[in-house]
Amino acid sequence: MTGFVRSLVLREARLLFRRPAELVNPLIFFALVVALFPLAVGPQAELLRELSPGLIWVAALLAVLLSLDGLFRSDYEDGSLEQWMLSPRPLAVLVLAKVLTHWVISGLALVLLSPVLALMLGLPSQCLGTLILSLLLGTPTLSLLGAIGAALTVGLRRGGLLLALLILPLYIPVLILGSGALQASLQGMSSSGQLLWLGSLAVLTLTLSPFAISAGLRISVGE
Amino acid sequence: MTWTLFHKLGSPKWFYEISSRWLPGLACAAVLLLVTGTVWGLVFAPEDYQQGNSFRIIYIHVPAAFLAQSGYIFLAVAGLISLVWKMKLADVALQAAAPVGAWMTVLALVTGSIWGKPTWGTWWVWDARLTSMLILLFLYFGVIALGQAITNRDSAAKACSVLALVGVVNIPIIKYSVEWWNTLHQPATFTLTRKPAMPAEMWLPLLIMVVGFYCFFAVVVLMRMRLAVLQRESRTAWVKAEIERTMPKRTLR
Amino acid sequence: MYNAAGKRPFTVFLITAVSSSTLCNGGRAVTFPLLEARALTCERDQRVLFEHLDLRVEAGEMVQVAGPNGSGKTSLLRLLAGLMSPTAGEVQWRGRAVTAQRHSMARELVWIGHRAGLKELLSPEENLAWWSALHHPAARRSIGEALDAVGLRGFEDVPCYMLSAGQQRRVALARLYLAPSSLWLLDEPFTALDRDAVEQLEAHLAIHCERGGLVVFTTHHRLEKQPSRYRQLDLAAWAA
């Protein structure tokens, strides 16, 4: 079992690193969206600092969503998913390993990029710890929920916009808690409550979403 | 015994026959209840001592909000039945109910915002319950959009079932997170378990309206389901006979 | 746990399959079908492709699914594999519904679809290594031998997108040399292959059947070399 998960992780990592654009594009998108806001609302440092928790979280959420659109698409188009369905391995384990590998590579890059963007928006450096922690706890939930949508829309020719429509409402709790944590630390209050909630949401989605993702994939492949 | 009933319910022909017997009664009940409730609520119920006559919009707003939420739970239950027992009728029910539920949500949102104008002074306030209702509308849109995007009928129904189930697990989380986000809101107007703070002359018509809305919902969903069943089963002998009976002049090709 | 169990079923299968075919003594009456479709109806987008289709495939049999374009050949294969669920009817493997035993059937099945499930960014060796990790754990040496058998020696490390269509098809077909599985479901396996490769594949399929395996495949190509228990299934006969 462990050997097989290892070879899955290796395969996913190879595929991601051999097409680095797909890895880098969401990061550029993240930076670009953050850069749009000062241009839209004006460069006042005070205003930007106050808005920064929400801005960073909305941008991160959209970047994660964007990176997930192609999560299963190439596997669907070249028939790999059929092989997955017809393998003796449990599909839920397969998809969980795949989504987590994707998160470790693309999600972590996002988390690492975020402090730079936060400093550009004027977020005080003592909030950076909370920022990183909230993104670390929140983005796995975003990836797993998004993977459900990606699985359901993988067979559609233009699934990208539909994916956003299906999944963004489900992202709202993470958005509220994540930006709430950052807001609290910006006001000098403790953010441990929100962080703990983010952690429990991550555990909940980690437990339930693999079944929804594999059900979605079976429906899309069986079409 | 219950299982045979359950499987009978799955048979489109049986459903079509039994629903044609239920429909007239349900439709009469819906009209009766809605007319009684509206007249009682808008004309005879006493004025609110704080909000005056503007409170009367709750006779539309609260039932619509009830139906919006129950409608989504209905989708999830139909989805569960469709996924677990592979009952085709549950697929039909899910797709028939989704737009009706969405309209109820729109109605709740519009009446809520109209109510907001005299109460809060603006058309829209980011109040926790209005915001949750808006998110619920997006969840409905998701189910409808997914159902329309997938061309294969069975896959579309199954995909909607999965989405509705994921949505229903998320609804409480969304609801509580939104409430936590905005703790400035009125306490819930009407609960079934607690004795309401309103006088009986006020909440009785409300109760009648809620029941009337449920009947109306049932009638509309049943009618939509009957049409969908006819379309799905259009090749079978009983549908051809039924169309022959109801529209003898036209021949079905 | 999979490593240990993954190798066992085929040997067991070979014994049962061979014993069942010797039991029947050439007479058809006593044999039992391993793969069976009962009253299968397939409807796609409000169009019925075939109705009440019955199919019994016994050990050692090869079935070529024939029929014009759009008659539902691929759909039938997908139904047999359990990738799709039928509008009506049931598919059984060893007497049990395929949907109820996905895992045990998967151990005995090789499926090569129209889209073969190759990753263009990976090399043939990496593709096969992943496939065998997914289905039947195989040593690196046997992967090399399988690639050798389909004539891809020297291409082990070339990314698949640099290979021709025929070579990519060969990478997919190398699975048939790798996995000790009994049931092969192949959708258009001869597409894009050159004459030598076609000949070799025909021989390989025939050997598999002679050893008690089952092959169900679709093709418009006429087989030169047929095993003793070969038959055609014409889907046009079951059309609605």
Side-chain angles (χ1 to χ4, degrees):
Chain A
M1 192 70 170
T2 48
F4 133 75
V5 170
R6 217 193 65 206
S7 45
L8 173 59
V9 171
L10 201 66
R11 168 192 188 256
E12 292 301 319
R14 274 191 185 128
L15 287 173
L16 275 174
F17 285 120
R18 284 185 195 171
R19 192 164 285 170
E22 278 179 27
L23 205 60
V24 177
N25 286 353
L27 296 179
I28 300 175
F29 176 83
F30 181 38
L32 195 59
V33 171
V34 169
L36 285 181
F37 280 97
L39 297 172
V41 300
Q44 300 92 325
E46 193 64 33
L47 181 67
L48 283 179
R49 179 162 58 238
E50 225 158 277
L51 288 179
S52 61
L55 294 190
I56 289 173
W57 260 94
V58 168
L61 188 139
L62 293 176
V64 170
L65 191 70
L66 192 76
S67 74
L68 288 173
D69 181 36
L71 184 64
F72 297 113
R73 183 141 301 140
S74 76
D75 281 334
Y76 174 80
E77 282 168 357
D78 63 22
S80 299
L81 278 182
E82 291 178 355
Q83 299 294 339
W84 288 36
M85 307 280 136
L86 296 176
S87 93
R89 316 291 181 186
L91 189 57
V93 174
L94 278 166
V95 293
L96 182 64
K98 181 176 168 93
V99 176
L100 287 185
T101 312
H102 184 266
W103 175 77
V104 164
I105 295 168
S106 71
L108 274 187
L110 198 84
V111 173
L112 291 179
L113 180 63
S114 64
V116 180
L117 299 174
L119 287 177
M120 284 166 74
L121 288 176
L123 197 76
S125 52
Q126 67 266 23
C127 298
L128 292 185
T130 312
L131 171 70
I132 291 176
L133 209 57
S134 68
L135 280 172
L136 267 182
L137 289 168
T139 44
T141 311
L142 299 183
S143 284
L144 285 161
L145 283 176
I148 300 177
L152 287 171
T153 56
V154 70
L156 303 171
R157 217 163 287 268
R158 279 187 294 276
L161 195 57
L162 185 62
L163 174 69
L165 185 60
L166 301 187
I167 293 306
L168 282 179
L170 305 178
Y171 276 2
I172 286 165
V174 178
L175 176 70
I176 290 175
L177 290 167
S179 56
L182 211 49
Q183 209 104 49
S185 90
L186 192 61
Q187 291 164 357
M189 294 188 291
S190 159
S191 56
S192 57
Q194 288 92 323
L195 292 178
L196 285 173
W197 267 109
L198 278 177
S200 16
L201 284 187
V203 172
L204 184 73
T205 38
L206 208 59
T207 326
L208 294 181
S209 66
F211 299 101
I213 300 169
S214 46
L217 286 179
R218 275 198 200 285
I219 293 164
S220 294
V221 170
E223 196 184 336
Chain B
M1 178 62 200
T2 45
W3 278 105
T4 51
L5 180 74
F6 195 72
H7 283 291
K8 245 180 157 178
L9 263 172
S11 141
K13 181 167 182 268
W14 185 83
F15 164 78
Y16 192 83
E17 282 165 4
I18 199 82
S19 63
S20 66
R21 263 181 276 157
W22 291 347
L23 259 182
L26 265 176
C28 287
V31 171
L32 216 66
L33 286 167
L34 287 179
V35 170
T36 320
T38 314
V39 173
W40 192 352
L42 296 191
V43 183
F44 296 108
E47 269 186 34
D48 186 77
Y49 74 99
Q50 268 181 327
Q51 301 185 10
N53 274 324
S54 71
F55 99 97
R56 292 185 197 275
I57 203 166
I58 66 162
Y59 294 113
I60 309 286
H61 175 73
V62 172
F66 259 64
L67 257 294
Q69 292 173 21
S70 322
Y72 203 89
I73 293 169
F74 179 83
L75 295 193
V77 171
L80 188 71
I81 294 174
S82 145
L83 286 179
V84 175
W85 290 286
K86 317 244 180 292
M87 192 198 271
K88 290 271 162 67
L89 205 58
D91 294 355
V92 176
L94 195 157
Q95 299 205 309
V100 188
W103 276 115
M104 288 293 171
T105 318
V106 170
L107 190 61
L109 275 174
V110 171
T111 50
S113 110
I114 292 173
W115 193 10
K117 185 66 184 163
T119 319
W120 294 313
T122 53
W123 290 108
W124 182 263
V125 173
W126 289 93
D127 153 79
R129 272 182 295 145
L130 272 180
T131 312
S132 309
M133 205 44 88
L134 184 66
I135 299 167
L136 184 64
L137 181 64
F138 288 131
L139 288 175
Y140 271 116
F141 282 162
V143 173
I144 297 170
L146 185 65
Q148 290 184 345
I150 302 178
T151 45
N152 184 311
R153 203 178 51 197
D154 290 338
S155 309
K158 280 192 235 164
C160 288
S161 305
V162 171
L163 188 65
L165 281 174
V166 172
V168 95
V169 171
N170 266 275
I171 280 179
I173 300 173
I174 294 175
K175 201 172 156 58
Y176 283 111
S177 65
V178 169
E179 266 177 28
W180 174 83
W181 162 76
N182 184 348
T183 39
L184 304 163
H185 65 283
Q186 296 185 316
T189 322
F190 184 70
T191 52
L192 288 170
T193 47
R194 209 153 29 94
K195 196 176 178 334
M198 285 181 175
E201 315 77 278
M202 270 177 159
W203 66 256
L204 255 179
L206 185 57
L207 184 66
I208 290 174
M209 283 302 272
V210 170
V211 178
F213 263 68
Y214 271 103
C215 290
F216 173 73
F217 183 83
V219 169
V220 177
V221 170
L222 277 180
M223 281 168 66
R224 288 176 55 88
M225 281 174 73
R226 282 162 61 85
L227 181 62
V229 161
L230 285 184
Q231 281 170 344
R232 277 177 170 238
E233 305 280 308
S234 59
R235 266 195 314 275
T236 59
W238 72 266
V239 170
K240 284 179 182 157
E242 175 67 19
I243 289 172
E244 194 63 34
R245 193 177 63 81
T246 47
M247 294 187 286
K249 297 234 172 64
R250 297 207 193 150
T251 47
L252 187 77
R253 277 168 51 82
Chain C
M1 69 187 245
Y2 284 100
N3 288 349
K7 294 205 167 85
R8 219 169 342 106
F10 184 59
T11 39
V12 175
F13 157 76
L14 265 187
I15 294 161
T16 51
V18 167
S19 61
S20 79
S21 51
T22 44
L23 262 180
C24 69
N25 268 339
R28 308 201 117 225
V30 237
T31 53
F32 61 94
L34 285 172
L35 183 68
E36 184 173 13
R38 285 186 187 159
L40 220 52
T41 298
C42 177
E43 190 185 317
R44 303 275 294 165
D45 302 319
Q46 276 81 298
R47 205 167 67 86
V48 178
L49 296 178
F50 48 81
E51 260 181 328
H52 312 301
L53 183 139
D54 293 306
L55 174 67
R56 295 156 63 94
V57 191
E58 291 158 16
E61 270 196 307
M62 177 189 269
V63 178
Q64 176 179 356
V65 182
N69 295 122
S71 58
K73 297 188 293 293
T74 298
S75 295
L76 175 62
L77 236 54
R78 286 166 66 84
L79 286 174
L80 293 179
L83 280 172
M84 238 163 68
S85 42
T87 314
E90 195 185 36
V91 180
Q92 290 189 341
W93 171 249
R94 292 187 185 278
R96 279 173 60 211
V98 291
T99 43
Q101 48 160 350
R102 283 213 179 91
H103 293 249
S104 47
M105 187 186 174
R107 291 174 184 287
E108 300 183 79
L109 169 71
V110 177
W111 160 266
I112 301 179
H114 175 62
R115 295 174 293 188
L118 292 185
K119 280 279 153 213
E120 294 208 318
L121 290 175
L122 299 181
S123 70
E125 193 181 1
E126 286 164 342
N127 263 307
L128 286 183
W130 162 240
W131 187 81
S132 53
L134 194 58
H135 295 263
H136 309 269
R140 211 186 147 161
R141 199 170 54 84
S142 49
I143 292 174
E145 284 167 6
L147 282 174
D148 213 13
V150 293
L152 284 177
R153 169 153 299 235
F155 291 95
E156 291 94 338
D157 295 328
V158 182
C160 278
Y161 64 81
M162 290 173 72
L163 301 179
S164 73
Q167 285 172 318
Q168 291 189 11
R169 178 58 44 180
R170 288 174 188 224
V171 179
L173 291 169
R175 294 166 189 164
L176 300 177
Y177 294 83
L178 201 58
S181 301
S182 51
L183 174 61
W184 293 357
L185 296 175
L186 314 173
D187 193 6
E188 302 287 353
F190 296 100
T191 311
L193 291 183
D194 60 25
R195 192 184 303 168
D196 288 348
V198 168
E199 222 167 80
Q200 194 198 343
L201 179 60
E202 283 184 2
H204 190 59
L205 296 184
I207 291 172
H208 179 65
C209 289
E210 301 299 347
R211 279 162 54 187
L214 290 74
V215 180
V216 181
F217 69 108
T218 67
T219 186
H220 294 290
H221 156 94
R222 181 183 292 279
L223 285 195
E224 307 263 320
K225 187 178 171 65
Q226 297 167 351
S228 50
R229 303 186 63 191
Y230 163 88
R231 69 192 155 108
Q232 263 201 6
L233 175 82
D234 189 8
L235 273 184
W238 304 91

